[in-house]
Structure formats: structure tokens, C-alpha cells
Amino acid sequence: MRAAPATTVVDFAPPAIGPEEVAAVVAALQSGWLSTGPRVKAFEEQFAAYVGARHAVALNSCTAALHLSLLVSGVESGDEVITTPLTFCATANTIVHSGATPVFADIDPLTWNIDPSAVAAAVTARTRAFIPVHYAGRPVDVAALRAIASRHQAVVIEDAAHCVEGRVDGDRIGHTGDLTCFSFYATKNLTTGEGGMLTTDSDAWADEARRLGLHGMSRDAWARYSRRGTALYDVVAPGFKYNMPDLMAAIGLQQLARLEERLARREAIWRRYDEALADLPLTRPAPVEANQRHARHLYTVLVEPESGWQRDDLASALRERGIVTSVHFRAVHLFTYYAERFGLRRGMFPNAERVSDCTLSLPLSAAMPDAHVEAVIDAVRQLVRRIR
Ligand SMILES: *Cc1c(COP(=O)(O)O)cnc(C)c1O
């Protein structure tokens, strides 16, 4: 039986954009300076201060930040890089771009973050780096990973695409690993439409990332693009075109100013989901540990067989009621390229596979009105109650 067409449509992650962002873009357009310039410089400085890192390099994506992090830390062909199968494909793709081999380590069944003991077991003489992902906004145990990394001279590159506001023991994500990569994609907690940031305390790595992110040119982006800059530059490596334009940074500056306030709104929605869905046969996100601040990026539940539903059927039934959900993530090792190229198959990472099969992300955004939150709860309660 089909439900009547929904009157309310609840988007999955509508961006939280206020009049300040709109005004900032207009001002940037009218300034006559569209590409990398003064707004990027200000955004980098303010972002570095926010996360407590010495350097922040603004880029056009988190994918670019991951790629450059691998390159500046010396990862190359023949090396191995350990990451989680429960991530967006970009995490693993950039390892392939660097020439290294991605090696997956399973997740913890409760936190859904990479399991440090699985990482330790996956280390070989060729391991050069780890890329943990702060899944859904929950901080990874970076200290445990750093302890393992230091025994093997490996670098810890954090994929913090979900975790710009995260903290562990009061330390801010962006300052916990060797290099940290953030995403400002449209659905992320801080968005510039498309964009990313690399943070590090290393002067040498930050310099190298700037150079490789702008064609391998020897002068930095600011010097080249400033009105005073000269066109005198050398090319010291075949770099990439990864710089962030000022138009994007204009949005980022405004988003940064409202980041904490928007986190508070997502925290309130999270608590409401937690209480309203508590009695349903769905696995909700684990409670947050006392020493951590969760960035509340994704509210993901596991739709397991005992709920009476297959995840994809529940997603379709919600869609018919106007509720748009998403899946984070289908395990990377099961995608054709990874399975065929690296000989990976179902059964190798059972914890990640269970999440991959059952996870469903409910709508979550600071731009969601209460009525939309209640519409999601009503629809989930109506459907999941009814064992089919
Ligand atoms: C979104 C995302 C990325 C990629 O970010 P882009 O800015 O789109 O390149 C990488 N890793 C994870 C875990 C993500 O969710």
C-alpha cells in the first residue's frame, strides 16, 4: 500500500545559510577579487585559531587536503596506508592517487570508528601513514593511534570531514594528529559549497602543501595573487590546482562565526531524536564519552533485521512520506574497484559490513525547523512500529 504523497518535504541536510553569508558573497563579488586573496588569508588565520593549529591551508576540497597530506608526509608508491572501510570513497581514492596501497582495518562495533587494535594488527614494514575518520562527528581515539604510529614511524592524517567542532580531552580536532583534513562540502557542518582545509603544526608540511596545491609554484598563493605580487615564480614540482577562491572563503568566514551556535542547534535535534526513538528496535548512536565533544554531523541508526525492515526499504518508505535520508557509508572495500584491485571481499571487515548494510542517516541540519524534526520522528515511528 502506498502512502498519500507527502505534503512536507524534509531535506536530508539543508545548508544553514543566513543573510550574513549572502551579504559576504555579494561584497566579495563587488570587491573585484574573486580567486585566492585576502578573504582566504583571513579564513585560514581564523580557522587555524579555531582549531588551535599553527597552520591552516585553504583548499577546494577535503579530497585535495587528503591528497596533499599524503604527498607532504612522503607517502609514495610501494607504501601502505591504513584506513577504515566505513568512509567516503575519497579517503581511499587519495591513497591510490599517492601511489600507495590502501589497507583497511575494521571498525569498533560500538563507536563505528576505526579500531586501534585492528590498526596495530594491520601494520607492516611498508606502513607509512594512518587515515582515521572521525565518523559522523565522533572523535577517534587519536592518542591510541599516535602511540601505534610512533612505534612504526608512521604519520597520522585525520579525515575530519565530519568533525570540525570535535574535541578530545579539551584538545581540538585539527590539533590532535600530524595533519588534519576538513571538508566544507554542501552538507558538512561548515560549508562553503565546495571547499576544504588542511591543518598542521609543521612549518615545512604547510609550506609544501601550499606549493603543491598551487601548481608547484615556488611563491605562495598570496604573494602571487596580491596586487603587489610579481609574476616572478619558479615551478619546483608538477603541482595541483587545489586553491580555494575568495568567493568561497567569504562564506567560510561567516560560517565559522556561527559554527558553535549551529552545533548547539544540531545537539538539540540529536537529543530529541535520541529520546523520541529510544523505544524502537533501531540501534542509535552510542553515548558520547565524557572526555569527548561530538560534532553531531550525522545522526545514523542501524536498521537491523529484527526491526522488520531492510534499510533500503525503510529509506524508500520514508521518501514516500517526504523524508529524505542518506547512507554513510557503503563499505569501501566492497566497491568494484577496491574489491577487484586489492582482492577484498565480504567477510573481511564484519563490523564495517554490518554498518554498511544497516546504517541510515536521518535528516540533521541547523537549518531544520522543529516541525521537520517532528515530521521525521512521526514517520519513523509509524513505519518501524509496524513489523511487516
Ligand atoms: C565529504 C567527505 C570527504 C570528501 O570531502 P570533499 O570536500 O567533498 O572532498 C572525505 N571524507 C569523508 C569522511 C567525507 O564525509
Side-chain angles (χ1 to χ4, degrees), residues 60-64 66 87-88 90-91 133 159 161-162 182-185 188 194-196 297 329:
N60 58 19
S61 70
C62 180
T63 305
L66 288 163
T87 186
F88 184 57
T91 319
V133 175
D159 180 336
H162 299 178
F182 296 91
S183 174
F184 308 139
Y185 175 66
K188 300 286 161 61
E194 298 275 4
H297 178 54
F329 294 95

mmCIF file of all heavy atoms in Angstrom, residues 60-64 66 87-88 90-91 133 159 161-162 182-185 188 194-196 297 329, ligand 1:
data_model
loop_
_atom_site.group_PDB
_atom_site.id
_atom_site.type_symbol
_atom_site.label_atom_id
_atom_site.label_comp_id
_atom_site.label_asym_id
_atom_site.label_seq_id
_atom_site.Cartn_x
_atom_site.Cartn_y
_atom_site.Cartn_z
ATOM 1 N N ASN A 60 40.326 23.575 -2.239
ATOM 2 C CA ASN A 60 38.984 23.492 -2.841
ATOM 3 C C ASN A 60 38.216 22.228 -2.467
ATOM 4 O O ASN A 60 37.080 22.044 -2.893
ATOM 5 C CB ASN A 60 39.056 23.695 -4.363
ATOM 6 C CG ASN A 60 39.963 22.696 -5.040
ATOM 7 O OD1 ASN A 60 40.265 21.645 -4.473
ATOM 8 N ND2 ASN A 60 40.403 23.015 -6.255
ATOM 9 N N SER A 61 38.803 21.345 -1.647
ATOM 10 C CA SER A 61 38.062 20.187 -1.136
ATOM 11 C C SER A 61 38.867 19.502 -0.039
ATOM 12 O O SER A 61 40.078 19.706 0.098
ATOM 13 C CB SER A 61 37.762 19.171 -2.245
ATOM 14 O OG SER A 61 38.954 18.528 -2.662
ATOM 15 N N CYS A 62 38.165 18.640 0.687
ATOM 16 C CA CYS A 62 38.839 17.768 1.658
ATOM 17 C C CYS A 62 39.643 16.705 0.910
ATOM 18 O O CYS A 62 40.694 16.273 1.368
ATOM 19 C CB CYS A 62 37.796 17.123 2.558
ATOM 20 S SG CYS A 62 38.443 16.011 3.810
ATOM 21 N N THR A 63 39.142 16.302 -0.239
ATOM 22 C CA THR A 63 39.863 15.336 -1.063
ATOM 23 C C THR A 63 41.254 15.877 -1.402
ATOM 24 O O THR A 63 42.259 15.160 -1.297
ATOM 25 C CB THR A 63 39.061 15.043 -2.352
ATOM 26 O OG1 THR A 63 37.742 14.624 -1.978
ATOM 27 C CG2 THR A 63 39.718 13.991 -3.204
ATOM 28 N N ALA A 64 41.317 17.164 -1.769
ATOM 29 C CA ALA A 64 42.614 17.806 -2.050
ATOM 30 C C ALA A 64 43.481 17.812 -0.797
ATOM 31 O O ALA A 64 44.693 17.552 -0.869
ATOM 32 C CB ALA A 64 42.384 19.232 -2.547
ATOM 33 N N LEU A 66 43.428 15.691 1.717
ATOM 34 C CA LEU A 66 43.914 14.328 1.969
ATOM 35 C C LEU A 66 45.065 13.985 1.019
ATOM 36 O O LEU A 66 46.091 13.446 1.431
ATOM 37 C CB LEU A 66 42.762 13.324 1.777
ATOM 38 C CG LEU A 66 41.689 13.332 2.868
ATOM 39 C CD1 LEU A 66 40.420 12.620 2.381
ATOM 40 C CD2 LEU A 66 42.198 12.678 4.152
ATOM 41 N N THR A 87 33.932 4.733 5.245
ATOM 42 C CA THR A 87 34.225 6.130 4.911
ATOM 43 C C THR A 87 33.754 6.420 3.504
ATOM 44 O O THR A 87 33.350 5.522 2.762
ATOM 45 C CB THR A 87 35.730 6.435 5.065
ATOM 46 O OG1 THR A 87 35.945 7.847 4.867
ATOM 47 C CG2 THR A 87 36.590 5.658 4.069
ATOM 48 N N PHE A 88 33.821 7.702 3.148
ATOM 49 C CA PHE A 88 33.538 8.103 1.776
ATOM 50 C C PHE A 88 34.720 7.650 0.912
ATOM 51 O O PHE A 88 35.867 7.640 1.377
ATOM 52 C CB PHE A 88 33.366 9.618 1.725
ATOM 53 C CG PHE A 88 32.984 10.128 0.376
ATOM 54 C CD1 PHE A 88 31.852 9.662 -0.268
ATOM 55 C CD2 PHE A 88 33.765 11.082 -0.255
ATOM 56 C CE1 PHE A 88 31.505 10.128 -1.529
ATOM 57 C CE2 PHE A 88 33.412 11.563 -1.511
ATOM 58 C CZ PHE A 88 32.285 11.076 -2.140
ATOM 59 N N ALA A 90 36.523 8.973 -1.151
ATOM 60 C CA ALA A 90 37.649 9.894 -1.340
ATOM 61 C C ALA A 90 38.828 9.552 -0.434
ATOM 62 O O ALA A 90 39.986 9.730 -0.824
ATOM 63 C CB ALA A 90 37.212 11.338 -1.084
ATOM 64 N N THR A 91 38.538 9.072 0.772
ATOM 65 C CA THR A 91 39.619 8.749 1.709
ATOM 66 C C THR A 91 40.541 7.703 1.088
ATOM 67 O O THR A 91 41.767 7.845 1.102
ATOM 68 C CB THR A 91 39.033 8.217 3.044
ATOM 69 O OG1 THR A 91 37.892 8.987 3.406
ATOM 70 C CG2 THR A 91 40.066 8.248 4.140
ATOM 71 N N VAL A 133 39.045 8.223 10.376
ATOM 72 C CA VAL A 133 37.933 9.132 10.050
ATOM 73 C C VAL A 133 37.117 9.328 11.329
ATOM 74 O O VAL A 133 36.743 8.341 11.972
ATOM 75 C CB VAL A 133 37.029 8.513 8.958
ATOM 76 C CG1 VAL A 133 35.801 9.388 8.695
ATOM 77 C CG2 VAL A 133 37.813 8.287 7.668
ATOM 78 N N ASP A 159 41.051 12.334 8.831
ATOM 79 C CA ASP A 159 39.957 12.755 7.964
ATOM 80 C C ASP A 159 38.879 13.292 8.902
ATOM 81 O O ASP A 159 38.122 12.526 9.513
ATOM 82 C CB ASP A 159 39.444 11.579 7.127
ATOM 83 C CG ASP A 159 38.296 11.979 6.204
ATOM 84 O OD1 ASP A 159 37.609 12.977 6.516
ATOM 85 O OD2 ASP A 159 38.079 11.278 5.195
ATOM 86 N N ALA A 161 36.439 15.344 8.046
ATOM 87 C CA ALA A 161 35.366 15.901 7.210
ATOM 88 C C ALA A 161 34.072 16.090 8.004
ATOM 89 O O ALA A 161 33.272 16.970 7.689
ATOM 90 C CB ALA A 161 35.117 14.998 5.998
ATOM 91 N N HIS A 162 33.881 15.261 9.051
ATOM 92 C CA HIS A 162 32.637 15.322 9.835
ATOM 93 C C HIS A 162 32.821 16.046 11.162
ATOM 94 O O HIS A 162 31.895 16.084 11.953
ATOM 95 C CB HIS A 162 32.168 13.901 10.175
ATOM 96 C CG HIS A 162 31.855 13.045 8.991
ATOM 97 N ND1 HIS A 162 31.460 11.743 9.093
ATOM 98 C CD2 HIS A 162 31.863 13.326 7.663
ATOM 99 C CE1 HIS A 162 31.244 11.221 7.892
ATOM 100 N NE2 HIS A 162 31.497 12.172 7.002
ATOM 101 N N PHE A 182 39.760 18.801 6.581
ATOM 102 C CA PHE A 182 38.364 19.173 6.809
ATOM 103 C C PHE A 182 37.665 19.366 5.463
ATOM 104 O O PHE A 182 38.291 19.791 4.492
ATOM 105 C CB PHE A 182 38.290 20.490 7.590
ATOM 106 C CG PHE A 182 38.879 20.407 8.973
ATOM 107 C CD1 PHE A 182 40.219 20.710 9.180
ATOM 108 C CD2 PHE A 182 38.112 20.016 10.052
ATOM 109 C CE1 PHE A 182 40.775 20.623 10.451
ATOM 110 C CE2 PHE A 182 38.655 19.928 11.333
ATOM 111 C CZ PHE A 182 39.992 20.237 11.529
ATOM 112 N N SER A 183 36.351 19.103 5.465
ATOM 113 C CA SER A 183 35.549 19.317 4.259
ATOM 114 C C SER A 183 34.529 20.416 4.490
ATOM 115 O O SER A 183 33.874 20.447 5.542
ATOM 116 C CB SER A 183 34.796 18.041 3.880
ATOM 117 O OG SER A 183 33.915 18.310 2.796
ATOM 118 N N PHE A 184 34.368 21.265 3.481
ATOM 119 C CA PHE A 184 33.327 22.298 3.521
ATOM 120 C C PHE A 184 32.317 22.072 2.398
ATOM 121 O O PHE A 184 31.731 23.003 1.855
ATOM 122 C CB PHE A 184 33.949 23.704 3.424
ATOM 123 C CG PHE A 184 35.061 23.948 4.422
ATOM 124 C CD1 PHE A 184 36.216 24.632 4.032
ATOM 125 C CD2 PHE A 184 34.962 23.511 5.735
ATOM 126 C CE1 PHE A 184 37.245 24.869 4.942
ATOM 127 C CE2 PHE A 184 35.985 23.735 6.651
ATOM 128 C CZ PHE A 184 37.131 24.414 6.249
ATOM 129 N N TYR A 185 32.127 20.805 2.050
ATOM 130 C CA TYR A 185 31.119 20.411 1.060
ATOM 131 C C TYR A 185 29.732 20.847 1.555
ATOM 132 O O TYR A 185 29.523 21.096 2.740
ATOM 133 C CB TYR A 185 31.209 18.882 0.877
ATOM 134 C CG TYR A 185 30.160 18.305 -0.030
ATOM 135 C CD1 TYR A 185 30.152 18.627 -1.385
ATOM 136 C CD2 TYR A 185 29.180 17.457 0.461
ATOM 137 C CE1 TYR A 185 29.175 18.103 -2.210
ATOM 138 C CE2 TYR A 185 28.205 16.928 -0.366
ATOM 139 C CZ TYR A 185 28.204 17.262 -1.702
ATOM 140 O OH TYR A 185 27.232 16.754 -2.524
ATOM 141 N N LYS A 188 28.168 19.593 4.839
ATOM 142 C CA LYS A 188 29.003 19.485 6.037
ATOM 143 C C LYS A 188 28.658 20.560 7.078
ATOM 144 O O LYS A 188 27.952 21.519 6.774
ATOM 145 C CB LYS A 188 30.488 19.531 5.638
ATOM 146 C CG LYS A 188 30.888 18.390 4.682
ATOM 147 C CD LYS A 188 30.981 17.044 5.363
ATOM 148 C CE LYS A 188 30.938 15.808 4.501
ATOM 149 N NZ LYS A 188 31.919 15.548 3.502
ATOM 150 N N GLU A 194 31.664 24.088 -1.881
ATOM 151 C CA GLU A 194 32.749 23.116 -2.011
ATOM 152 C C GLU A 194 33.955 23.765 -1.364
ATOM 153 O O GLU A 194 34.157 24.977 -1.498
ATOM 154 C CB GLU A 194 33.105 22.830 -3.480
ATOM 155 C CG GLU A 194 31.998 22.232 -4.324
ATOM 156 C CD GLU A 194 31.885 20.703 -4.213
ATOM 157 O OE1 GLU A 194 32.625 20.087 -3.421
ATOM 158 O OE2 GLU A 194 31.019 20.157 -4.920
ATOM 159 N N GLY A 195 34.765 22.983 -0.681
ATOM 160 C CA GLY A 195 35.962 23.553 -0.080
ATOM 161 C C GLY A 195 36.558 22.599 0.924
ATOM 162 O O GLY A 195 35.952 21.583 1.274
ATOM 163 N N GLY A 196 37.768 22.916 1.371
ATOM 164 C CA GLY A 196 38.430 22.077 2.365
ATOM 165 C C GLY A 196 39.551 22.839 3.036
ATOM 166 O O GLY A 196 39.901 23.956 2.612
ATOM 167 N N HIS A 297 27.552 15.535 13.311
ATOM 168 C CA HIS A 297 27.393 15.721 11.865
ATOM 169 C C HIS A 297 26.278 14.857 11.295
ATOM 170 O O HIS A 297 25.478 15.332 10.486
ATOM 171 C CB HIS A 297 28.710 15.444 11.139
ATOM 172 C CG HIS A 297 28.600 15.560 9.652
ATOM 173 N ND1 HIS A 297 28.093 16.696 9.045
ATOM 174 C CD2 HIS A 297 28.872 14.691 8.657
ATOM 175 C CE1 HIS A 297 28.083 16.509 7.737
ATOM 176 N NE2 HIS A 297 28.535 15.309 7.481
ATOM 177 N N PHE A 329 28.309 4.700 5.530
ATOM 178 C CA PHE A 329 28.627 4.672 4.113
ATOM 179 C C PHE A 329 28.449 3.248 3.639
ATOM 180 O O PHE A 329 28.423 2.330 4.444
ATOM 181 C CB PHE A 329 30.097 5.093 3.874
ATOM 182 C CG PHE A 329 30.377 6.520 4.238
ATOM 183 C CD1 PHE A 329 30.891 6.836 5.485
ATOM 184 C CD2 PHE A 329 30.114 7.535 3.335
ATOM 185 C CE1 PHE A 329 31.155 8.158 5.815
ATOM 186 C CE2 PHE A 329 30.402 8.856 3.660
ATOM 187 C CZ PHE A 329 30.909 9.168 4.911
HETATM 188 C C1 LIG B 1 32.695 14.570 2.490
HETATM 189 C C2 LIG B 1 33.803 13.645 2.860
HETATM 190 C C3 LIG B 1 35.052 13.684 2.220
HETATM 191 C C4 LIG B 1 35.310 14.491 0.969
HETATM 192 O O1 LIG B 1 35.128 15.840 1.148
HETATM 193 P P1 LIG B 1 35.185 16.806 -0.154
HETATM 194 O O2 LIG B 1 35.319 18.160 0.470
HETATM 195 O O3 LIG B 1 33.893 16.612 -0.867
HETATM 196 O O4 LIG B 1 36.361 16.433 -0.939
HETATM 197 C C5 LIG B 1 36.077 12.892 2.691
HETATM 198 N N1 LIG B 1 35.881 12.069 3.739
HETATM 199 C C6 LIG B 1 34.685 11.959 4.359
HETATM 200 C C7 LIG B 1 34.549 11.034 5.516
HETATM 201 C C8 LIG B 1 33.602 12.732 3.917
HETATM 202 O O5 LIG B 1 32.411 12.602 4.505
#
